[in-house]
Amino acid sequence: MENNKKIKPNSYYSIQYWMINELGLKGLELSIYAIIYGFSRDHCGAFTGSRSYLADFTNSTKAGVDKALKSLIQKNLLEKKDFVNHGIKNCIYVAKEVANLVSYQSTELGGVANSVSQGSQLSCPNNIEDNIEDNTLSLEVKHFGLYGNVILNDELYDRLLIESEEYADEYIERLDSSIEIRQLQKEYSTYSPKQFYVKILDMLRRDGHVEV
């Protein structure tokens, strides 16, 4: 297969056993669900990529991807949402709640994950928030992301870059887009820069981009 520059060499997706055992997925549907679940779990994002991306990542065709997406939507496992960005209509896919089908625990990152409906509530060994010095919180705050929904200051942004220079900006954009697309501005309006920092760092840790 010809090397695809759209997909990073170290990109991966995780197939969990409950997707096979509980949801009964297999083949292309299993792969596509796993990819989209990886983007949208914990209510922290959505899959905004193209059908070509899914086809390339799964070594399949656009027609095959379309069939799999349609089937997953009919099975009530995926939700398709339309939104307009700069006058252009786009669509995203989100893995729907499957708490009624799945109940499992994960020891990933030394924490416990609750049912999917509640997202992955990780109990980290160290309280990240308590380790941030108070003098970093008095700095001027800035809006990050395409929609400006993520609020950080320079110190906290630099800390994210130190933790994961390769993925920090990508995960800031993920959270920013999720807030915009899901219209969660009110919910996040009470977040301090420190809370945004902790949220993004937890997302990075969850996906293995930051060492525990």
Side-chain angles (χ1 to χ4, degrees), residues 13 85 92 94 121 124-126 201 208 211:
Y13 58 91
N85 183 18
I92 63 168
V94 178
Q121 306 288 333
C124 295
N126 297 313
L201 188 58
E211 295 183 2

Side-chain angles (χ1 to χ4, degrees), residues 104-115 119-126 202 205-206 212:
Y104 71 98
Q105 287 187 331
S106 170
T107 56
E108 182 183 14
L109 304 182
V112 177
N114 296 325
S115 65
S120 186
Q121 306 288 333
L122 295 179
S123 302
C124 295
N126 297 313
D202 273 345
R205 284 185 167 178
R206 175 201 69 191
V212 180

Side-chain angles (χ1 to χ4, degrees), residues 88-104:
I88 301 175
K89 186 177 180 180
N90 297 274
C91 68
I92 63 168
Y93 292 92
V94 178
K96 296 193 69 174
E97 308 291 357
V98 291
N100 58 325
L101 300 175
V102 180
S103 178
Y104 71 98

Side-chain angles (χ1 to χ4, degrees), residues 2-190:
E2 184 179 351
N3 186 31
N4 192 319
K5 295 182 180 179
K6 293 186 296 183
I7 302 176
K8 296 180 180 179
N10 59 346
S11 295
Y12 68 94
Y13 58 91
S14 176
I15 294 177
Q16 301 186 46
Y17 184 63
W18 57 263
M19 298 176 183
I20 302 171
N21 188 49
E22 301 291 342
L23 303 185
L25 297 176
K26 59 183 179 180
L28 185 56
E29 287 186 25
L30 173 62
S31 295
I32 289 178
Y33 179 83
I35 293 170
I36 295 175
Y37 176 78
F39 278 90
S40 59
R41 64 179 179 174
D42 301 349
H43 308 283
C44 291
F47 179 77
T48 60
S50 65
R51 292 174 301 148
S52 295
Y53 178 92
L54 290 173
D56 291 337
F57 209 170
T58 57
N59 196 25
S60 58
T61 63
K62 285 185 181 180
V65 168
D66 285 340
K67 183 178 179 180
L69 288 171
K70 183 178 180 180
S71 176
L72 289 168
I73 292 172
Q74 290 175 341
K75 291 177 180 178
N76 207 32
L77 296 177
L78 289 186
E79 181 177 0
K80 180 181 178 181
K81 296 183 178 181
D82 295 321
F83 71 101
V84 177
N85 183 18
H86 299 298
I88 301 175
K89 186 177 180 180
N90 297 274
C91 68
I92 63 168
Y93 292 92
V94 178
K96 296 193 69 174
E97 308 291 357
V98 291
N100 58 325
L101 300 175
V102 180
S103 178
Y104 71 98
Q105 287 187 331
S106 170
T107 56
E108 182 183 14
L109 304 182
V112 177
N114 296 325
S115 65
V116 177
S117 66
Q118 298 173 344
S120 186
Q121 306 288 333
L122 295 179
S123 302
C124 295
N126 297 313
N127 191 327
I128 308 168
E129 193 166 341
D130 290 342
N131 292 334
I132 301 175
E133 297 178 6
D134 290 338
N135 59 8
T136 67
L137 306 180
S138 61
L139 299 175
E140 179 184 359
V141 299
K142 298 180 180 179
H143 292 266
F144 289 79
L146 176 64
Y147 303 102
N149 291 312
V150 174
I151 299 175
L152 298 166
N153 57 42
D154 287 338
E155 174 69 19
L156 295 176
Y157 175 66
D158 288 343
R159 283 171 179 257
L160 287 174
L161 291 179
I162 291 172
E163 293 286 355
S164 181
E165 183 176 3
E166 182 177 0
Y167 291 98
D169 287 331
E170 176 184 333
Y171 276 69
I172 289 172
E173 291 292 344
R174 281 196 192 187
L175 181 56
D176 173 62
S177 296
S178 175
I179 294 171
E180 184 71 21
I181 293 167
R182 298 184 178 189
Q183 298 181 342
L184 299 175
Q185 291 88 344
K186 184 177 180 180
E187 177 181 335
Y188 281 88
S189 64
T190 60

